[in-house]
Amino acid sequence: MCIRDRVSTQSTGNALPAFMVYHSKWNKEDPAGGFLMGMGVYPLRSCIAGPAPEAPELGEDIVDEAIDKFKANVMFRNFKPEGPADLVHLYLLLYIHQCLQRFDKCENKRKAQEAVNELLALKVLVPFDSEFPVSPLYTQSTSASEKRDTVKYFAQLRREASLRLIPIVYDAAPDQTGDKWWLCFAKRAFLKKPLK
């Protein structure tokens, strides 16, 4: 199952893609850490222990890519994954939005860090958990160990995204109050399916 691309109809009645969503360049790479629930496990520039291998030599990893493409991709209501990296990208986009929702209520960088710490302490939901918003796009886990590894992988991705997002949103803003051009996206959920 996939979420179909948004289409527009010209006066001729032919359906054409209205816009092109940004897909992950990592779809072209073999996942160094194998696969989990249909997702590729790709190396990260820096990371806590978990399924994703560390590769400090990378110029840009999949977390950097998701942050970079967030503002463009969040404008879409539809997304059709084209490979295993897009499923990682999708999760990161949902998580980045969740962070921005928390940041929107924070008056400064210190408060945002506290909000992220609270967010990271929450139970990590994975596909096919009852509250996970886009489960049909993923593959059902074949074992309890695969599900456990998916939780660990999501925990890695969440921590890395949080650590990188806070300076981007707060360091350039006056008095570290938050960049309004990031915080304005707190009210726009990717695919209208926010993480809870």
mmCIF file of all heavy atoms in Angstrom, residues 43-91:
data_model
loop_
_atom_site.group_PDB
_atom_site.id
_atom_site.type_symbol
_atom_site.label_atom_id
_atom_site.label_comp_id
_atom_site.label_asym_id
_atom_site.label_seq_id
_atom_site.Cartn_x
_atom_site.Cartn_y
_atom_site.Cartn_z
ATOM 1 N N PRO A 43 24.198 4.201 7.668
ATOM 2 C CA PRO A 43 25.178 4.729 8.630
ATOM 3 C C PRO A 43 24.875 6.176 9.003
ATOM 4 O O PRO A 43 24.311 6.933 8.217
ATOM 5 C CB PRO A 43 26.509 4.617 7.873
ATOM 6 C CG PRO A 43 26.146 4.559 6.432
ATOM 7 C CD PRO A 43 24.801 3.923 6.353
ATOM 8 N N LEU A 44 25.269 6.534 10.216
ATOM 9 C CA LEU A 44 25.090 7.891 10.720
ATOM 10 C C LEU A 44 26.455 8.495 11.031
ATOM 11 O O LEU A 44 27.372 7.792 11.453
ATOM 12 C CB LEU A 44 24.223 7.884 11.975
ATOM 13 C CG LEU A 44 22.824 7.280 11.822
ATOM 14 C CD1 LEU A 44 22.128 7.206 13.184
ATOM 15 C CD2 LEU A 44 21.989 8.075 10.834
ATOM 16 N N ARG A 45 26.585 9.807 10.845
ATOM 17 C CA ARG A 45 27.857 10.494 11.104
ATOM 18 C C ARG A 45 28.314 10.303 12.535
ATOM 19 O O ARG A 45 29.501 10.168 12.822
ATOM 20 C CB ARG A 45 27.724 11.994 10.854
ATOM 21 C CG ARG A 45 27.553 12.415 9.443
ATOM 22 C CD ARG A 45 27.711 13.924 9.290
ATOM 23 N NE ARG A 45 26.577 14.694 9.781
ATOM 24 C CZ ARG A 45 26.612 15.492 10.839
ATOM 25 N NH1 ARG A 45 27.700 15.618 11.552
ATOM 26 N NH2 ARG A 45 25.539 16.175 11.201
ATOM 27 N N SER A 46 27.357 10.356 13.441
ATOM 28 C CA SER A 46 27.634 10.133 14.856
ATOM 29 C C SER A 46 26.387 9.515 15.428
ATOM 30 O O SER A 46 25.286 9.805 14.976
ATOM 31 C CB SER A 46 27.952 11.451 15.566
ATOM 32 O OG SER A 46 26.865 12.342 15.451
ATOM 33 N N CYS A 47 26.541 8.654 16.387
ATOM 34 C CA CYS A 47 25.341 8.002 16.902
ATOM 35 C C CYS A 47 25.609 7.307 18.229
ATOM 36 O O CYS A 47 26.738 6.954 18.551
ATOM 37 C CB CYS A 47 24.784 7.000 15.883
ATOM 38 S SG CYS A 47 25.905 5.698 15.396
ATOM 39 N N ILE A 48 24.516 7.123 18.955
ATOM 40 C CA ILE A 48 24.563 6.295 20.151
ATOM 41 C C ILE A 48 24.536 4.843 19.699
ATOM 42 O O ILE A 48 24.332 4.549 18.525
ATOM 43 C CB ILE A 48 23.371 6.600 21.085
ATOM 44 C CG1 ILE A 48 22.039 6.355 20.347
ATOM 45 C CG2 ILE A 48 23.433 8.016 21.609
ATOM 46 C CD1 ILE A 48 20.833 6.349 21.248
ATOM 47 N N ALA A 49 24.734 3.932 20.610
ATOM 48 C CA ALA A 49 24.728 2.509 20.266
ATOM 49 C C ALA A 49 23.381 2.102 19.701
ATOM 50 O O ALA A 49 22.337 2.555 20.161
ATOM 51 C CB ALA A 49 25.055 1.686 21.506
ATOM 52 N N GLY A 50 23.419 1.256 18.684
ATOM 53 C CA GLY A 50 22.196 0.783 18.058
ATOM 54 C C GLY A 50 22.501 0.138 16.723
ATOM 55 O O GLY A 50 23.669 -0.038 16.359
ATOM 56 N N PRO A 51 21.474 -0.196 15.964
ATOM 57 C CA PRO A 51 21.673 -0.916 14.699
ATOM 58 C C PRO A 51 22.430 -0.138 13.624
ATOM 59 O O PRO A 51 23.122 -0.734 12.799
ATOM 60 C CB PRO A 51 20.240 -1.211 14.226
ATOM 61 C CG PRO A 51 19.387 -1.089 15.427
ATOM 62 C CD PRO A 51 20.054 -0.073 16.305
ATOM 63 N N ALA A 52 22.288 1.189 13.602
ATOM 64 C CA ALA A 52 22.955 1.977 12.553
ATOM 65 C C ALA A 52 24.440 2.097 12.858
ATOM 66 O O ALA A 52 24.817 2.539 13.938
ATOM 67 C CB ALA A 52 22.330 3.358 12.445
ATOM 68 N N PRO A 53 25.283 1.719 11.890
ATOM 69 C CA PRO A 53 26.730 1.861 12.114
ATOM 70 C C PRO A 53 27.145 3.330 12.081
ATOM 71 O O PRO A 53 26.488 4.153 11.453
ATOM 72 C CB PRO A 53 27.344 1.090 10.941
ATOM 73 C CG PRO A 53 26.293 1.047 9.894
ATOM 74 C CD PRO A 53 24.972 1.111 10.594
ATOM 75 N N GLU A 54 28.227 3.629 12.773
ATOM 76 C CA GLU A 54 28.748 4.998 12.789
ATOM 77 C C GLU A 54 29.733 5.171 11.644
ATOM 78 O O GLU A 54 30.573 4.313 11.386
ATOM 79 C CB GLU A 54 29.433 5.299 14.124
ATOM 80 C CG GLU A 54 29.835 6.746 14.271
ATOM 81 C CD GLU A 54 30.296 7.093 15.681
ATOM 82 O OE1 GLU A 54 30.314 6.193 16.541
ATOM 83 O OE2 GLU A 54 30.634 8.259 15.904
ATOM 84 N N ALA A 55 29.615 6.308 10.940
ATOM 85 C CA ALA A 55 30.501 6.613 9.808
ATOM 86 C C ALA A 55 30.827 8.102 9.851
ATOM 87 O O ALA A 55 30.218 8.904 9.132
ATOM 88 C CB ALA A 55 29.845 6.219 8.489
ATOM 89 N N PRO A 56 31.788 8.488 10.713
ATOM 90 C CA PRO A 56 32.085 9.921 10.879
ATOM 91 C C PRO A 56 32.599 10.604 9.617
ATOM 92 O O PRO A 56 32.567 11.829 9.519
ATOM 93 C CB PRO A 56 33.146 9.936 11.988
ATOM 94 C CG PRO A 56 33.642 8.545 12.113
ATOM 95 C CD PRO A 56 32.586 7.638 11.588
ATOM 96 N N GLU A 57 33.034 9.821 8.635
ATOM 97 C CA GLU A 57 33.554 10.403 7.396
ATOM 98 C C GLU A 57 32.456 10.912 6.463
ATOM 99 O O GLU A 57 32.734 11.607 5.474
ATOM 100 C CB GLU A 57 34.435 9.381 6.657
ATOM 101 C CG GLU A 57 33.681 8.217 6.002
ATOM 102 C CD GLU A 57 33.263 7.108 6.962
ATOM 103 O OE1 GLU A 57 33.552 7.212 8.168
ATOM 104 O OE2 GLU A 57 32.644 6.145 6.494
ATOM 105 N N LEU A 58 31.209 10.572 6.745
ATOM 106 C CA LEU A 58 30.101 11.007 5.887
ATOM 107 C C LEU A 58 29.945 12.518 5.925
ATOM 108 O O LEU A 58 29.972 13.132 6.980
ATOM 109 C CB LEU A 58 28.785 10.376 6.338
ATOM 110 C CG LEU A 58 28.538 8.913 6.007
ATOM 111 C CD1 LEU A 58 27.218 8.463 6.617
ATOM 112 C CD2 LEU A 58 28.533 8.678 4.511
ATOM 113 N N GLY A 59 29.772 13.112 4.750
ATOM 114 C CA GLY A 59 29.481 14.539 4.699
ATOM 115 C C GLY A 59 28.055 14.825 5.118
ATOM 116 O O GLY A 59 27.773 15.788 5.822
ATOM 117 N N GLU A 60 27.126 13.991 4.666
ATOM 118 C CA GLU A 60 25.715 14.135 5.001
ATOM 119 C C GLU A 60 25.117 12.748 5.146
ATOM 120 O O GLU A 60 25.265 11.914 4.263
ATOM 121 C CB GLU A 60 24.975 14.903 3.903
ATOM 122 C CG GLU A 60 23.489 15.055 4.156
ATOM 123 C CD GLU A 60 22.727 15.696 2.998
ATOM 124 O OE1 GLU A 60 22.478 15.017 1.994
ATOM 125 O OE2 GLU A 60 22.415 16.890 3.116
ATOM 126 N N ASP A 61 24.445 12.503 6.257
ATOM 127 C CA ASP A 61 23.779 11.217 6.420
ATOM 128 C C ASP A 61 22.271 11.401 6.254
ATOM 129 O O ASP A 61 21.794 12.487 5.915
ATOM 130 C CB ASP A 61 24.152 10.554 7.754
ATOM 131 C CG ASP A 61 23.717 11.359 8.977
ATOM 132 O OD1 ASP A 61 22.819 12.212 8.850
ATOM 133 O OD2 ASP A 61 24.286 11.127 10.062
ATOM 134 N N ILE A 62 21.523 10.353 6.483
ATOM 135 C CA ILE A 62 20.084 10.401 6.223
ATOM 136 C C ILE A 62 19.349 11.349 7.174
ATOM 137 O O ILE A 62 18.318 11.921 6.816
ATOM 138 C CB ILE A 62 19.483 8.978 6.239
ATOM 139 C CG1 ILE A 62 18.126 8.963 5.522
ATOM 140 C CG2 ILE A 62 19.410 8.408 7.652
ATOM 141 C CD1 ILE A 62 17.660 7.588 5.109
ATOM 142 N N VAL A 63 19.886 11.569 8.363
ATOM 143 C CA VAL A 63 19.281 12.528 9.296
ATOM 144 C C VAL A 63 19.466 13.949 8.770
ATOM 145 O O VAL A 63 18.519 14.748 8.747
ATOM 146 C CB VAL A 63 19.873 12.377 10.714
ATOM 147 C CG1 VAL A 63 19.340 13.460 11.644
ATOM 148 C CG2 VAL A 63 19.583 10.990 11.274
ATOM 149 N N ASP A 64 20.683 14.281 8.335
ATOM 150 C CA ASP A 64 20.931 15.602 7.748
ATOM 151 C C ASP A 64 20.014 15.842 6.557
ATOM 152 O O ASP A 64 19.456 16.931 6.386
ATOM 153 C CB ASP A 64 22.387 15.709 7.268
ATOM 154 C CG ASP A 64 23.396 15.636 8.388
ATOM 155 O OD1 ASP A 64 23.152 16.242 9.443
ATOM 156 O OD2 ASP A 64 24.425 14.965 8.207
ATOM 157 N N GLU A 65 19.877 14.820 5.728
ATOM 158 C CA GLU A 65 19.048 14.936 4.533
ATOM 159 C C GLU A 65 17.588 15.217 4.905
ATOM 160 O O GLU A 65 16.943 16.081 4.298
ATOM 161 C CB GLU A 65 19.136 13.646 3.720
ATOM 162 C CG GLU A 65 18.288 13.665 2.462
ATOM 163 C CD GLU A 65 18.220 12.301 1.799
ATOM 164 O OE1 GLU A 65 17.908 11.307 2.494
ATOM 165 O OE2 GLU A 65 18.460 12.234 0.591
ATOM 166 N N ALA A 66 17.066 14.526 5.900
ATOM 167 C CA ALA A 66 15.668 14.725 6.304
ATOM 168 C C ALA A 66 15.449 16.136 6.848
ATOM 169 O O ALA A 66 14.431 16.775 6.541
ATOM 170 C CB ALA A 66 15.271 13.680 7.344
ATOM 171 N N ILE A 67 16.396 16.639 7.631
ATOM 172 C CA ILE A 67 16.285 18.005 8.149
ATOM 173 C C ILE A 67 16.326 19.000 6.992
ATOM 174 O O ILE A 67 15.535 19.945 6.930
ATOM 175 C CB ILE A 67 17.386 18.296 9.186
ATOM 176 C CG1 ILE A 67 17.164 17.451 10.448
ATOM 177 C CG2 ILE A 67 17.436 19.789 9.533
ATOM 178 C CD1 ILE A 67 18.298 17.482 11.450
ATOM 179 N N ASP A 68 17.242 18.770 6.054
ATOM 180 C CA ASP A 68 17.400 19.660 4.906
ATOM 181 C C ASP A 68 16.142 19.700 4.035
ATOM 182 O O ASP A 68 15.766 20.749 3.519
ATOM 183 C CB ASP A 68 18.613 19.214 4.082
ATOM 184 C CG ASP A 68 18.878 20.136 2.906
ATOM 185 O OD1 ASP A 68 19.025 21.355 3.130
ATOM 186 O OD2 ASP A 68 18.929 19.642 1.762
ATOM 187 N N LYS A 69 15.482 18.567 3.859
ATOM 188 C CA LYS A 69 14.317 18.480 2.964
ATOM 189 C C LYS A 69 12.982 18.661 3.706
ATOM 190 O O LYS A 69 11.930 18.625 3.084
ATOM 191 C CB LYS A 69 14.306 17.119 2.257
ATOM 192 C CG LYS A 69 15.540 16.835 1.393
ATOM 193 C CD LYS A 69 15.563 17.727 0.173
ATOM 194 C CE LYS A 69 16.641 17.324 -0.812
ATOM 195 N NZ LYS A 69 17.858 18.092 -0.705
ATOM 196 N N PHE A 70 13.041 18.847 5.011
ATOM 197 C CA PHE A 70 11.797 18.902 5.797
ATOM 198 C C PHE A 70 10.846 19.980 5.299
ATOM 199 O O PHE A 70 9.660 19.721 5.059
ATOM 200 C CB PHE A 70 12.107 19.116 7.283
ATOM 201 C CG PHE A 70 10.874 19.316 8.109
ATOM 202 C CD1 PHE A 70 10.126 18.227 8.526
ATOM 203 C CD2 PHE A 70 10.426 20.590 8.443
ATOM 204 C CE1 PHE A 70 8.960 18.390 9.265
ATOM 205 C CE2 PHE A 70 9.263 20.771 9.183
ATOM 206 C CZ PHE A 70 8.541 19.665 9.591
ATOM 207 N N LYS A 71 11.316 21.204 5.169
ATOM 208 C CA LYS A 71 10.420 22.325 4.832
ATOM 209 C C LYS A 71 9.725 22.111 3.497
ATOM 210 O O LYS A 71 8.569 22.506 3.330
ATOM 211 C CB LYS A 71 11.196 23.639 4.824
ATOM 212 C CG LYS A 71 11.627 24.101 6.197
ATOM 213 C CD LYS A 71 12.356 25.436 6.085
ATOM 214 C CE LYS A 71 12.855 25.919 7.415
ATOM 215 N NZ LYS A 71 13.575 27.202 7.308
ATOM 216 N N ALA A 72 10.421 21.508 2.548
ATOM 217 C CA ALA A 72 9.794 21.249 1.245
ATOM 218 C C ALA A 72 8.809 20.092 1.333
ATOM 219 O O ALA A 72 7.674 20.187 0.866
ATOM 220 C CB ALA A 72 10.869 20.949 0.201
ATOM 221 N N ASN A 73 9.229 19.001 1.959
ATOM 222 C CA ASN A 73 8.378 17.805 1.975
ATOM 223 C C ASN A 73 7.148 17.941 2.865
ATOM 224 O O ASN A 73 6.124 17.306 2.614
ATOM 225 C CB ASN A 73 9.187 16.576 2.393
ATOM 226 C CG ASN A 73 9.912 15.955 1.218
ATOM 227 O OD1 ASN A 73 9.613 16.244 0.064
ATOM 228 N ND2 ASN A 73 10.865 15.098 1.498
ATOM 229 N N VAL A 74 7.236 18.764 3.909
ATOM 230 C CA VAL A 74 6.099 18.891 4.817
ATOM 231 C C VAL A 74 4.905 19.550 4.127
ATOM 232 O O VAL A 74 3.768 19.437 4.579
ATOM 233 C CB VAL A 74 6.497 19.660 6.099
ATOM 234 C CG1 VAL A 74 6.572 21.161 5.843
ATOM 235 C CG2 VAL A 74 5.548 19.348 7.245
ATOM 236 N N MET A 75 5.137 20.191 3.005
ATOM 237 C CA MET A 75 4.055 20.842 2.272
ATOM 238 C C MET A 75 3.157 19.829 1.558
ATOM 239 O O MET A 75 2.051 20.166 1.134
ATOM 240 C CB MET A 75 4.633 21.823 1.240
ATOM 241 C CG MET A 75 5.543 22.883 1.839
ATOM 242 S SD MET A 75 4.771 23.841 3.153
ATOM 243 C CE MET A 75 3.630 24.821 2.207
ATOM 244 N N PHE A 76 3.616 18.603 1.424
ATOM 245 C CA PHE A 76 2.851 17.590 0.698
ATOM 246 C C PHE A 76 1.905 16.833 1.621
ATOM 247 O O PHE A 76 2.226 16.550 2.763
ATOM 248 C CB PHE A 76 3.800 16.595 0.014
ATOM 249 C CG PHE A 76 4.590 17.216 -1.094
ATOM 250 C CD1 PHE A 76 5.837 17.775 -0.849
ATOM 251 C CD2 PHE A 76 4.087 17.271 -2.386
ATOM 252 C CE1 PHE A 76 6.561 18.366 -1.863
ATOM 253 C CE2 PHE A 76 4.804 17.855 -3.402
ATOM 254 C CZ PHE A 76 6.042 18.415 -3.147
ATOM 255 N N ARG A 77 0.754 16.502 1.082
ATOM 256 C CA ARG A 77 -0.206 15.694 1.825
ATOM 257 C C ARG A 77 -0.084 14.227 1.457
ATOM 258 O O ARG A 77 -0.741 13.381 2.051
ATOM 259 C CB ARG A 77 -1.623 16.174 1.532
ATOM 260 C CG ARG A 77 -1.897 17.556 2.054
ATOM 261 C CD ARG A 77 -3.311 17.962 1.741
ATOM 262 N NE ARG A 77 -3.525 19.339 2.164
ATOM 263 C CZ ARG A 77 -4.546 20.071 1.784
ATOM 264 N NH1 ARG A 77 -5.454 19.566 0.975
ATOM 265 N NH2 ARG A 77 -4.671 21.292 2.201
ATOM 266 N N ASN A 78 0.713 13.937 0.441
ATOM 267 C CA ASN A 78 0.835 12.568 -0.058
ATOM 268 C C ASN A 78 2.303 12.234 -0.279
ATOM 269 O O ASN A 78 3.104 13.114 -0.607
ATOM 270 C CB ASN A 78 0.074 12.416 -1.375
ATOM 271 C CG ASN A 78 -1.375 12.833 -1.232
ATOM 272 O OD1 ASN A 78 -2.143 12.176 -0.559
ATOM 273 N ND2 ASN A 78 -1.726 13.960 -1.832
ATOM 274 N N PHE A 79 2.637 10.987 -0.108
ATOM 275 C CA PHE A 79 4.034 10.562 -0.237
ATOM 276 C C PHE A 79 4.053 9.088 -0.641
ATOM 277 O O PHE A 79 3.444 8.258 0.027
ATOM 278 C CB PHE A 79 4.753 10.752 1.099
ATOM 279 C CG PHE A 79 6.231 10.487 1.067
ATOM 280 C CD1 PHE A 79 7.096 11.361 0.443
ATOM 281 C CD2 PHE A 79 6.746 9.353 1.677
ATOM 282 C CE1 PHE A 79 8.466 11.120 0.439
ATOM 283 C CE2 PHE A 79 8.105 9.103 1.679
ATOM 284 C CZ PHE A 79 8.969 10.001 1.053
ATOM 285 N N LYS A 80 4.740 8.783 -1.719
ATOM 286 C CA LYS A 80 4.862 7.414 -2.186
ATOM 287 C C LYS A 80 6.323 6.990 -2.046
ATOM 288 O O LYS A 80 7.170 7.441 -2.808
ATOM 289 C CB LYS A 80 4.416 7.302 -3.640
ATOM 290 C CG LYS A 80 4.503 5.892 -4.183
ATOM 291 C CD LYS A 80 4.035 5.857 -5.632
ATOM 292 C CE LYS A 80 4.157 4.444 -6.190
ATOM 293 N NZ LYS A 80 3.737 4.396 -7.611
ATOM 294 N N PRO A 81 6.644 6.171 -1.066
ATOM 295 C CA PRO A 81 8.037 5.742 -0.896
ATOM 296 C C PRO A 81 8.552 5.018 -2.141
ATOM 297 O O PRO A 81 7.844 4.202 -2.733
ATOM 298 C CB PRO A 81 7.973 4.786 0.302
ATOM 299 C CG PRO A 81 6.736 5.161 1.022
ATOM 300 C CD PRO A 81 5.771 5.609 -0.030
ATOM 301 N N GLU A 82 9.781 5.343 -2.511
ATOM 302 C CA GLU A 82 10.394 4.717 -3.683
ATOM 303 C C GLU A 82 11.506 3.742 -3.318
ATOM 304 O O GLU A 82 12.167 3.207 -4.191
ATOM 305 C CB GLU A 82 10.934 5.790 -4.633
ATOM 306 C CG GLU A 82 9.833 6.615 -5.265
ATOM 307 C CD GLU A 82 10.347 7.600 -6.289
ATOM 308 O OE1 GLU A 82 11.581 7.838 -6.351
ATOM 309 O OE2 GLU A 82 9.507 8.157 -7.039
ATOM 310 N N GLY A 83 11.715 3.540 -2.036
ATOM 311 C CA GLY A 83 12.758 2.624 -1.603
ATOM 312 C C GLY A 83 12.846 2.589 -0.093
ATOM 313 O O GLY A 83 12.134 3.316 0.613
ATOM 314 N N PRO A 84 13.745 1.764 0.427
ATOM 315 C CA PRO A 84 13.844 1.584 1.885
ATOM 316 C C PRO A 84 14.306 2.830 2.637
ATOM 317 O O PRO A 84 13.977 3.006 3.805
ATOM 318 C CB PRO A 84 14.841 0.438 2.041
ATOM 319 C CG PRO A 84 15.618 0.417 0.761
ATOM 320 C CD PRO A 84 14.690 0.888 -0.301
ATOM 321 N N ALA A 85 15.040 3.708 1.955
ATOM 322 C CA ALA A 85 15.480 4.939 2.619
ATOM 323 C C ALA A 85 14.321 5.918 2.793
ATOM 324 O O ALA A 85 14.293 6.693 3.751
ATOM 325 C CB ALA A 85 16.607 5.593 1.828
ATOM 326 N N ASP A 86 13.368 5.882 1.884
ATOM 327 C CA ASP A 86 12.213 6.777 2.016
ATOM 328 C C ASP A 86 11.397 6.470 3.267
ATOM 329 O O ASP A 86 10.766 7.356 3.836
ATOM 330 C CB ASP A 86 11.312 6.676 0.781
ATOM 331 C CG ASP A 86 11.795 7.542 -0.366
ATOM 332 O OD1 ASP A 86 12.695 8.373 -0.162
ATOM 333 O OD2 ASP A 86 11.260 7.383 -1.484
ATOM 334 N N LEU A 87 11.405 5.218 3.692
ATOM 335 C CA LEU A 87 10.682 4.867 4.919
ATOM 336 C C LEU A 87 11.371 5.450 6.157
ATOM 337 O O LEU A 87 10.716 5.855 7.109
ATOM 338 C CB LEU A 87 10.543 3.351 5.039
ATOM 339 C CG LEU A 87 9.680 2.690 3.953
ATOM 340 C CD1 LEU A 87 9.717 1.179 4.100
ATOM 341 C CD2 LEU A 87 8.251 3.211 4.001
ATOM 342 N N VAL A 88 12.698 5.497 6.120
ATOM 343 C CA VAL A 88 13.455 6.149 7.196
ATOM 344 C C VAL A 88 13.188 7.652 7.150
ATOM 345 O O VAL A 88 12.932 8.299 8.168
ATOM 346 C CB VAL A 88 14.966 5.864 7.065
ATOM 347 C CG1 VAL A 88 15.745 6.534 8.198
ATOM 348 C CG2 VAL A 88 15.243 4.368 7.027
ATOM 349 N N HIS A 89 13.264 8.188 5.939
ATOM 350 C CA HIS A 89 13.030 9.611 5.697
ATOM 351 C C HIS A 89 11.638 10.014 6.213
ATOM 352 O O HIS A 89 11.482 11.030 6.885
ATOM 353 C CB HIS A 89 13.143 9.846 4.184
ATOM 354 C CG HIS A 89 13.371 11.247 3.777
ATOM 355 N ND1 HIS A 89 14.605 11.853 3.793
ATOM 356 C CD2 HIS A 89 12.506 12.182 3.326
ATOM 357 C CE1 HIS A 89 14.495 13.095 3.362
ATOM 358 N NE2 HIS A 89 13.229 13.321 3.076
ATOM 359 N N LEU A 90 10.653 9.193 5.925
ATOM 360 C CA LEU A 90 9.282 9.436 6.360
ATOM 361 C C LEU A 90 9.203 9.518 7.886
ATOM 362 O O LEU A 90 8.606 10.453 8.445
ATOM 363 C CB LEU A 90 8.370 8.327 5.835
ATOM 364 C CG LEU A 90 6.925 8.285 6.319
ATOM 365 C CD1 LEU A 90 6.191 9.572 5.984
ATOM 366 C CD2 LEU A 90 6.205 7.095 5.703
ATOM 367 N N TYR A 91 9.815 8.558 8.562
ATOM 368 C CA TYR A 91 9.789 8.576 10.026
ATOM 369 C C TYR A 91 10.472 9.835 10.566
ATOM 370 O O TYR A 91 9.971 10.486 11.483
ATOM 371 C CB TYR A 91 10.456 7.337 10.609
ATOM 372 C CG TYR A 91 10.417 7.361 12.122
ATOM 373 C CD1 TYR A 91 9.236 7.084 12.797
ATOM 374 C CD2 TYR A 91 11.534 7.722 12.866
ATOM 375 C CE1 TYR A 91 9.172 7.156 14.190
ATOM 376 C CE2 TYR A 91 11.476 7.801 14.247
ATOM 377 C CZ TYR A 91 10.293 7.514 14.896
ATOM 378 O OH TYR A 91 10.230 7.601 16.269
#
